[in-house]
Amino acid sequence: EQLAHSLLAAAAEATGCAAPQPAWLAQLPRSYSRYGDLALFPEGTLDHPSFAELAASGRLWPTVCGLLKVRRLAVVRRVARDGVRSSRSRLLYTEPGCDPASATVATCVEHGVSLSWDIADCMFSRGNAAERHRLVPLVAAAAADGSESCIVDLFAGIGYFTLPLLARTGIAQVIAIDWNPAALRWLRRNLQNNRIGESRCRVLQGDNRLVAPADLADRVLLGLVPSSRLSWPAACRCLRPAGGWLHVHENCDSPREATGCNKDHPNADGSDKDSEDASRTDKDLSVRGSSDGAFGGLAITSNCFYKDRAATAAAHAAFLNSPHAPAAELPPPDAADCDEDPLAEAAETPPVCSRSRPHPAWLSMAASMARELRRHMPPGWRVRVARIQFVKWYAPRVAHLVFDVECRPAG
């Protein structure tokens, strides 16, 4: 509320109008994200034509910059559903003297790792910062004892997961894959900025289902929501003959009426947007937003969608009509007619959950995920969902989860 009141005061000062206008009053932002001298406002704010009229005085945006102690202002737009999830963020204002060539470049430093990107080209979500931080000690311990040496990041983007793992662990190599050339340009720049040698990061551009290497990975990252399901077969092929781990990101419909277990989160009824960035606070803290990565393929299942099933169907149709779409048809969400591995019938230890009261839908998704992943593994392999990690509320009643899946040959 303090930010909205400050902007209201700035508008009144800039225009000499003490009475707010209803047309633009509803679009005053109550939060923003700060990246150095750039303030990024949430989607759906400051978009009304009235703000352009207010800004015509030449005093509104300079006053806002002074209040927020920044030099550049921008507003998030809903990401394009163009197969590579291009950013459509819009620059509102830059102070005189700012370099025009870098006017839309943002930089974020998390745990000593610097990430830069062009807000007009690429998306970024701080909402996954805790998950990035969670992976670091897991990989660091495995790299230190020599049990792991290679990670494949199937949705690398600008390096959301790749860079922290390279900069903060002793892992020998990360293979970073994305089919968005703009994102990979920034990934390469970020590798240089963090002084990470090319020998430790192999960058591949293209559809991960076609270019992902086989039999190399100790871990595979599938950091795409609403669903990474189209790339599950490729992820399974990446694993070494001795097996390894999949970290699978999925959105899961979590209706309150089942148990009420999601009442303990303040945003269970919240307004997380399908956009690059929509911050919770007016400072440099975690934000709500969309997935990391830039892969446009969506699988339509009962638990996996954007904001509703109609939106998912539209996005899915757009993907199938895009030049990135595979020639083969999508597999069915549930393959009940496949032959189950006899070992799959053995009783498995229920997955640990980061929440004390996991939603039944989360457990159901874990079980169905394990069944489907077994279809893509060699005969006799065991697939076990060891942990369900809650990341954030992607939308009301829609949880962004990460499933830590262990895949090993029997014996």
Side-chain angles (χ1 to χ4, degrees):
E1 295 294 334
Q2 182 178 357
L3 175 61
H5 287 210
S6 298
L7 286 168
L8 182 62
E13 179 183 339
T15 61
C17 177
Q21 303 298 311
W24 52 266
L25 185 60
Q27 286 202 350
L28 288 173
R30 288 170 172 76
S31 61
Y32 73 97
S33 291
R34 180 170 180 158
Y35 301 105
D37 66 354
L38 170 68
L40 190 61
F41 296 105
E43 177 195 347
T45 62
L46 304 177
D47 254 352
H48 195 277
S50 298
F51 284 102
E53 298 173 9
L54 291 171
S57 68
R59 297 172 58 192
L60 175 61
W61 298 139
T63 303
V64 173
C65 282
L67 285 168
L68 303 183
K69 295 181 173 55
V70 297
R71 302 188 67 197
R72 298 174 293 155
L73 304 172
V75 64
V76 167
R77 292 283 184 86
R78 189 177 295 269
V79 294
R81 291 174 179 170
D82 58 357
V84 295
R85 295 180 62 79
S86 302
S87 171
R88 296 189 295 187
S89 294
R90 180 171 61 93
L91 194 67
L92 294 175
Y93 175 77
T94 60
E95 282 189 349
C98 288
D99 182 3
S102 60
T104 55
V105 175
T107 298
C108 172
V109 178
E110 290 181 354
H111 305 292
V113 178
S114 175
L115 283 165
S116 296
W117 70 101
D118 190 330
I119 64 169
D121 257 349
C122 305
M123 52 170 291
F124 176 78
S125 171
R126 273 212 196 103
N128 295 334
E131 176 60 15
R132 289 192 286 273
H133 185 53
R134 181 181 77 93
L135 283 179
V136 166
L138 300 179
V139 173
D145 66 19
S147 60
E148 295 186 10
S149 61
C150 180
I151 294 173
V152 174
D153 186 351
L154 292 181
F155 304 98
I158 64 170
Y160 316 98
F161 291 97
T162 291
L163 285 164
L165 294 177
L166 287 168
R168 300 177 58 207
T169 79
I171 196 72
Q173 186 182 52
V174 174
I175 299 172
I177 304 172
D178 207 289
W179 65 12
N180 184 349
L184 292 185
R185 283 196 298 271
W186 284 100
L187 169 60
R188 292 186 175 95
R189 185 175 301 186
N190 287 327
L191 289 168
Q192 294 176 353
N193 292 343
N194 288 276
R195 299 180 179 179
I196 297 171
E198 293 183 4
S199 62
R200 295 187 63 208
C201 187
R202 180 181 170 194
V203 179
L204 300 178
Q205 181 180 336
D207 186 334
N208 58 43
R209 294 165 294 177
L210 302 177
V211 304
D215 304 327
L216 284 179
D218 298 295
R219 290 179 189 265
V220 182
L221 311 182
L222 296 99
L224 175 72
V225 291
S227 178
S228 60
R229 184 174 176 269
L230 285 178
S231 293
W232 291 2
C236 293
R237 291 194 298 270
C238 286
L239 292 176
R240 291 184 184 277
W245 290 86
L246 308 179
H247 298 282
V248 185
H249 292 238
E250 292 289 315
N251 278 357
C252 184
D253 187 10
S254 312
R256 171 178 289 179
E257 55 269 24
T259 62
C261 66
N262 54 0
K263 293 181 181 179
D264 59 341
H265 193 279
N267 297 317
D269 287 325
S271 56
D272 290 8
K273 303 296 184 183
D274 183 20
S275 63
E276 303 117 84
D277 211 342
S279 62
R280 288 190 181 118
T281 72
D282 62 346
K283 292 297 181 184
D284 215 3
L285 300 177
S286 296
V287 301
R288 292 166 273 178
S290 71
S291 68
D292 293 336
F295 180 61
L298 307 177
I300 300 178
T301 71
S302 61
N303 282 327
C304 194
F305 49 88
Y306 276 96
K307 292 295 171 286
D308 54 53
R309 290 171 178 80
T312 298
H316 185 255
F319 166 71
L320 290 179
N321 291 326
S322 78
H324 303 291
E329 294 183 358
L330 294 175
D334 293 304
D337 57 344
C338 68
D339 293 330
E340 286 286 352
D341 186 332
L343 291 175
E345 301 301 325
E348 296 283 1
T349 303
V352 174
C353 186
S354 60
R355 288 294 183 88
S356 58
R357 298 164 61 196
H359 196 287
W362 305 358
L363 300 175
S364 175
M365 177 172 276
S368 62
M369 178 181 296
R371 286 195 299 269
E372 180 161 348
L373 288 171
R374 286 189 190 103
R375 296 175 54 222
H376 305 298
M377 303 305 301
W381 278 49
R382 299 186 69 94
V383 176
R384 177 178 70 96
V385 178
R387 182 178 178 86
I388 302 172
Q389 182 71 28
F390 175 88
V391 177
K392 62 180 180 287
W393 290 109
Y394 182 85
R397 311 287 194 274
V398 182
H400 173 183
L401 306 173
V402 177
F403 297 83
D404 296 347
V405 186
E406 186 178 23
C407 307
R408 303 284 181 191

